[in-house]
């Protein structure tokens, strides 16, 4: 039985859990190295699954210490997948692993075009940039790219957009699927439950546009709605959201937030009971001192949430989508446009006609299909012979 190691060293547990879910229905053993809090959120049935082996990164360990501790364990697997790497480039560039490795890239510009997408907004960014120069991050990042047997992206559309910037030396593996469609019944809640999934941050979400649209639509809604921000809204990046909520008094709209990150099972349960999703994404976002572009160089986790349960979704026109997901969505250009769509979706329950089409539209995204696709993509790496 082949052995696959999954290393998640940052905060992309949704990618880790998705890959575990798809691999567990295959004849493979999975060795996970990840923070302890991710283990605490595992499905109960996974804890007893003999295919799954887990090593916790302890809170007091830094990443290099953790990797050194699990190095012998990693040497005996058939494939190592780094589900995220965003720091410690010098350390990883100097590591050698016997099995082939796959590096999954979430932020394309940060890896392949950081200098041409440099953005310095304030003193903190200046210090970040100087620190990156002192650490020679560009040099070690390029060396790291060369050290990995394969590189991969989180989405085929991002792969297509980034392809001209991928160095000729890189062996590119097709984008790894980690989300699959689970059919759910269309919801008919009162009040209507609209969810804004993912990060609650003014850096990535256009709260000004959203609240301008809510203000335009509020008095014309024929039923009440609850708008839930499903991420952690306790940080400074959520301050604008609360300021806008306090300064806008709605008749038919209730705003719900959470002061901490929800456990994975609870997060998925709330998604499952949503009537539809709303993604007020900014087109240009900032990752450190690098500009990224949603849908082109970086994926929004909210799009994966849309796929996970086939939820109809309102999102900006700029974001490219697979045709199946495109048919589950409607697009807005500005606040007035979004207000009109909200009235249509709420007053006419228009989202129900889209939700009913999800099982047909997403037939190629079932768990079995996505698991098979994942294994077909990984097959060359699992059969890799080191020269």
């Amino acid at each position: 039985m082949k052995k696959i190691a999954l290393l998640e060293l940052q905060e992309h547990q949704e990618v880790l859990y998705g890959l575990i879910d798809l691999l567990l229905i295959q004849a493979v053993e999975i060795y996970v190295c990840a923070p302890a809090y991710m283990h605490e959120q595992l499905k109960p049935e996974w804890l007893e699954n003999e295919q799954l082996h887990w090593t916790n990164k302890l809170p007091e360990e830094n990443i290099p210490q953790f990797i050194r501790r699990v190095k012998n364990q990693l040497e005996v697997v058939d494939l190592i997948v780094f589900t995220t790497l965003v720091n410690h480039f010098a350390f990883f560039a100097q590591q050698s692993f016997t099995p082939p490795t796959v590096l999954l890239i979430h932020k394309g510009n940060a890896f392949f075009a950081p200098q041409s997408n440099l953005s310095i907004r304030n003193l903190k960014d200046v210090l970040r940039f100087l620190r990156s120069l002192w650490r020679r991050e560009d040099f070690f990042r390029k060396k790291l790219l060369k050290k990995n047997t394969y590189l991969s992206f989180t989405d085929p559309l991002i792969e297509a957009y980034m392809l001209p910037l991928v160095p000729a030396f890189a062996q590119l593996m097709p984008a790894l699927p980690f989300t699959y469609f689970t059919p759910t019944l269309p919801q008919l809640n009162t009040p209507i439950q609209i969810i804004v999934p993912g990060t609650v941050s003014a850096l990535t979400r256009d709260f000004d546009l959203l609240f301008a649209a809510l203000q335009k639509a509020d008095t014309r809604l024929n039923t009440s709605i609850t708008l839930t921000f499903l991420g952690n809204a306790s940080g400074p990046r959520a301050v604008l959201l609360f300021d806008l909520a306090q300064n806008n008094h709605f008749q038919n709209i209730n705003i719900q937030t959470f002061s901490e990150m929800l456990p994975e099972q609870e997060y998925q349960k709330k998604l499952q009971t949503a009537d539809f999703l709303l993604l007020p994404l900014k087109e240009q976002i900032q990752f450190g001192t690098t500009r990224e572009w949603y849908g082109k160089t970086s994926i929004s986790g909210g799009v994966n949430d849309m796929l996970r349960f086939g939820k109809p979704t309102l999102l900006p026109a700029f974001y490219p989508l697979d045709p199946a997901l495109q048919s589950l969505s409607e697009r807005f250009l500005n606040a007035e446009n979004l207000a009109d769509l909200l009235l249509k979706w709420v007053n006419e329950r228009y989202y129900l006609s889209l939700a009913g089409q999800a099982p047909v539209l997403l037939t190629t995204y079932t768990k079995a299909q996505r698991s098979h696709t994942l294994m077909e993509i990984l097959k060359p790496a699992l059969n890799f012979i080191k020269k």
Side-chain angles (χ1 to χ4, degrees), residues 272-291:
Q272 196 168 5
T273 57
D275 288 286
F276 63 90
L277 307 184
L278 172 57
L279 301 181
L281 304 174
K282 287 186 174 180
E283 184 171 11
Q284 181 181 307
I285 61 174
Q286 190 93 356
F287 181 68
T289 59
T290 307
R291 286 187 301 266

Side-chain angles (χ1 to χ4, degrees), residues 17 58-59 76 123 127 161 165 186-187 200 206 240 269 303 368:
Y17 297 147
L58 304 176
V76 299
L123 178 59
L127 296 175
Y161 184 85
L165 298 176
Q187 300 297 304
V200 183
D206 194 339
L240 178 61
K269 184 178 179 180
V303 173

Side-chain angles (χ1 to χ4, degrees), residues 3 16 37 62 86 143 147 212 217 259 269 274 302 310 335 347 371:
K3 299 178 174 65
L16 176 63
Y37 75 87
N62 62 34
V86 298
K143 189 175 179 181
K147 292 282 293 232
S259 59
K269 184 178 179 180
N347 291 352
S371 178

Side-chain angles (χ1 to χ4, degrees), residues 271 280 339:
L271 274 178

Side-chain angles (χ1 to χ4, degrees), residues 92-246:
F92 283 105
Q94 294 164 9
Q95 298 302 301
S96 293
F97 298 94
T98 301
T101 58
V102 180
L103 173 58
L104 186 58
I105 294 171
H106 294 252
K107 301 289 189 294
N109 281 345
F111 270 94
F112 299 115
Q115 296 303 325
S116 58
N117 290 280
L118 182 65
S119 176
I120 304 294
R121 303 160 299 176
N122 48 42
L123 178 59
K124 187 176 181 180
D125 285 344
V126 172
L127 296 175
R128 282 176 173 169
F129 179 64
L130 292 176
R131 184 178 59 186
S132 72
L133 290 177
W134 179 70
R135 291 179 174 177
R136 302 174 67 201
E137 287 190 354
D138 279 354
F139 170 80
F140 286 114
R141 188 163 35 218
K142 290 174 184 175
K143 189 175 179 181
L144 171 65
L145 293 174
K146 290 181 180 179
K147 292 282 293 232
N148 279 274
T149 318
Y150 301 93
L151 305 178
S152 183
F153 290 99
T154 51
D155 184 84
L157 295 175
I158 292 176
E159 175 189 334
Y161 184 85
M162 293 301 304
L163 194 58
L165 298 176
V166 177
F169 63 74
Q171 188 163 353
L172 198 60
M173 177 179 281
L176 300 184
F178 57 87
T179 306
Y180 62 89
F181 169 55
T182 300
T184 57
L185 293 174
Q187 300 297 304
L188 195 61
N189 295 307
T190 302
I192 289 179
Q193 301 295 315
I194 305 173
I195 283 183
V196 179
T199 306
V200 183
S201 170
L203 297 181
T204 60
R205 303 297 189 261
D206 194 339
F207 294 138
D208 287 317
L209 181 150
L210 173 60
F211 274 81
L214 296 176
Q215 196 61 255
K216 291 176 183 294
D218 179 39
T219 57
R220 294 185 286 163
L221 294 170
N222 64 11
T223 187
S224 60
I225 67 173
T226 298
L227 183 65
T228 300
F229 293 84
L230 208 48
N232 182 355
S234 65
R237 294 173 180 176
V239 169
L240 178 61
L241 167 64
F242 290 109
D243 287 345
L244 289 167
Q246 186 174 7

Side-chain angles (χ1 to χ4, degrees), residues 83-96:
T83 55
T84 327
L85 281 183
V86 298
N87 51 30
H88 298 287
F89 297 130
F91 171 78
F92 283 105
Q94 294 164 9
Q95 298 302 301
S96 293

